[in-house]
Amino acid sequence: MDAGRAYNTFPLMNGQLIPDDYWGLPGIRNAFENTAAVQLHHRALAITTLTAVGAVWAVGRQMPLPRHVKMALSITAAITAAQVTLGITTLMTYIPTTLGAAHQ
């Protein structure tokens, strides 16, 4: 599909929150075969995951949890942030092979 090469801007997709060709295919095929839809869904999942993990980390820091649990929360938050950052960097640099492979 090569969806990452179609919209190399972030957070907007070529200046739009939802690109014009988002509804380019009929029915359920659109969610899986339309480049604009696939990339928008990927972005939404990444940002939602980062937000959820960040919220769990923030709440967990304030709770009286064992040290190893707080460490696990911090590591999870750091890895999630790194993956999202790597994905955005990969997208904006037109998917160099090394970054694309690392993001996989």
Side-chain angles (χ1 to χ4, degrees), residues 75-89:
I75 291 169
T76 302
I79 289 171
T80 303
Q83 178 68 355
V84 171
T85 301
L86 182 60
I88 293 168
T89 302

Side-chain angles (χ1 to χ4, degrees), residues 6-91:
Y7 298 97
N8 291 95
T9 57
F10 188 87
L12 300 177
M13 296 173 69
N14 291 346
Q16 298 177 300
L17 187 59
I18 299 173
D20 290 333
D21 55 344
Y22 178 79
W23 295 107
L25 295 174
I28 193 72
R29 283 185 51 211
N30 193 69
F32 301 102
E33 297 177 25
N34 179 346
T35 298
V38 168
Q39 193 174 117
L40 182 64
H41 297 166
H42 190 86
R43 290 173 182 216
L45 179 62
I47 298 304
T48 303
T49 301
L50 181 63
T51 302
V53 169
V56 170
W57 174 79
V59 170
R61 286 184 49 212
Q62 307 303 317
M63 297 177 70
L65 298 171
R67 186 170 178 256
H68 70 278
V69 174
K70 287 188 177 190
M71 179 66 75
L73 287 173
S74 293
I75 291 169
T76 302
I79 289 171
T80 303
Q83 178 68 355
V84 171
T85 301
L86 182 60
I88 293 168
T89 302
T90 300
L91 177 72

